[in-house]
Amino acid sequence: MNSNLDSQSTMPTLTSYKILDYVWIVLMALTIGSALVAESAEPSLLVTIVIAFTIGIKGRLVVDRFMELRNAHPYIRFAMNFYFYMLPIVIVLVFLFPETIADLTRLKR
Amino acid sequence: MVNSSAPDNGIGTVKAVPEAAAAQECLPADNRVPGNGAVWVGIFAEMTEFALMFLVYFIAKVHYPEYFDEGPLKLNTTAGVLNTLALLTSSFFVAKAMSSVRKGNIQLAIRWLWGTVASAVAYLLIKTWEYYWNIQQGIEVDTNLFFTVYYYMTFNHFLHVFWGGGAILWAIWRLKSGFYTAEKHEGMEAIACYWHMIDLVWIIIFPLLYVLR
């Protein structure tokens, strides 16, 4: 193994290594943004969509960049990403149609 | 230079990159199963378990909307945010450790993983303090259905962080013992994927319990 790879000084030149820094900053910003929404905004469709979208973005960033599934086996990548497509959709549906979903899930009619 | 001619079995190997870039980086192989197949059985089982909890959350929310409107306002949002920042940072450290291992920089990888352990401990301490704070506010498991779901979901996740942290300590020991190298590190990659799964679950739990009303 080449000794220059053992040197920490070579690390900052790595593209994907540096990209992780930016991904982390975006994730921090999205989390703090969600917290500000939690503290200030009243419930609304727009707020719900923004929160659901934020979950999708954060999930995709972790799956693609931290978990490194961007070029992994397509079944694994699809399954993980599917989770973060479906959940935001369910969040919005529950906000839009709570009575309908309550009726569908009621045991006694 | 990292041995880029290692046989590519699609599991935990590195793929060759152009000569000019080879000195800088070895990327994970295309279409690989990260870590090993067994860990993905575990990850999908865990994700399914949490999906059922999310299903319970949604059903409870539509049947008892008043509890789920008021519940998030009574929780300690600061603790939830700090937990989220700690877990996202821990995942970032794990990703850095994986990248360092692929470069053959084992000592740097160990330092990143100690950062992960520190983040996990911070999470566990914050969550413990949050439970203590809740009890002082009169928020307990049987206060109402929102808090029952809150305690069940967050304590289950708490346990995952605890034993996931143990797995990270195991990875540190294996790194120190020379079991993982730039060419062979599928065990560490499996642990890394499991840790990221724990982070992903919290990415969902945080807005469901602390933000959405």
Side-chain angles (χ1 to χ4, degrees), chain B residues 168-205:
Chain B
I168 296 292
L169 286 173
W170 169 257
I172 290 172
W173 180 77
R174 298 277 285 180
L175 276 168
K176 284 187 172 179
S177 304
F179 286 104
Y180 300 140
T181 64
E183 297 82 20
K184 188 166 174 57
H185 46 258
E186 59 265 27
M188 180 176 165
E189 194 171 37
I191 292 170
C193 287
Y194 188 83
W195 187 263
H196 292 309
M197 181 276 293
I198 295 171
D199 179 33
L200 284 169
V201 169
W202 185 259
I203 284 176
I204 298 166
I205 291 176

Side-chain angles (χ1 to χ4, degrees), chain A residues 2 14 16 21 71 83, chain B residues 1 24-25 31-32 47 96:
Chain A
N2 192 325
L14 289 174
S16 66
D21 298 349
N71 62 338
Y83 212 89
Chain B
M1 184 181 298
Q24 296 182 342
E25 187 168 18
N31 295 321
R32 78 200 190 289
M47 296 293 278
K96 284 285 198 180

Side-chain angles (χ1 to χ4, degrees), chain A residues 35-89:
Chain A
L36 292 175
V37 169
E39 291 296 303
S40 57
E42 287 299 312
S44 70
L45 178 59
L46 179 63
V47 168
T48 305
I49 289 172
V50 168
I51 297 301
F53 187 71
T54 303
I55 293 173
I57 295 291
K58 287 168 78 175
R60 285 296 303 273
L61 282 174
V62 172
V63 167
D64 282 352
R65 296 292 175 176
F66 286 178
M67 226 172 189
E68 297 180 313
L69 296 190
R70 272 174 304 149
N71 62 338
H73 193 286
Y75 288 173
I76 288 177
R77 182 168 188 255
F78 172 80
M80 293 303 290
N81 282 332
F82 184 72
Y83 212 89
F84 286 92
Y85 287 129
M86 285 309 296
L87 207 111
I89 291 171

Side-chain angles (χ1 to χ4, degrees), chain B residues 9 13 21 33 42 63 75 86 100 110 117 135 153-154 170 177 179 191 195 198 202 205 208:
Chain B
N9 61 6
T13 57
V33 175
H63 284 276
L75 289 177
S100 300
I110 289 171
V117 172
I135 290 167
M153 216 183 267
T154 58
W170 169 257
S177 304
F179 286 104
I191 292 170
W195 187 263
I198 295 171
W202 185 259
I205 291 176
L208 290 189

Side-chain angles (χ1 to χ4, degrees), chain B residues 110-175:
Chain B
I110 289 171
R111 284 203 290 275
W112 284 119
L113 287 186
W114 276 120
T116 304
V117 172
S119 301
V121 169
Y123 172 94
L124 295 172
L125 290 175
I126 292 165
K127 187 54 74 187
T128 303
W129 174 80
E130 184 186 344
Y131 287 152
Y132 176 72
W133 184 88
N134 286 348
I135 290 167
Q136 285 187 317
Q137 312 302 312
I139 298 171
E140 299 191 24
V141 179
D142 56 357
T143 299
N144 66 39
L145 194 55
F146 172 82
F147 293 110
T148 305
V149 171
Y150 158 84
Y151 275 110
Y152 192 75
M153 216 183 267
T154 58
F155 188 69
N156 199 310
H157 186 266
F158 180 96
L159 294 176
H160 281 75
V161 174
F162 181 76
W163 66 59
I168 296 292
L169 286 173
W170 169 257
I172 290 172
W173 180 77
R174 298 277 285 180
L175 276 168

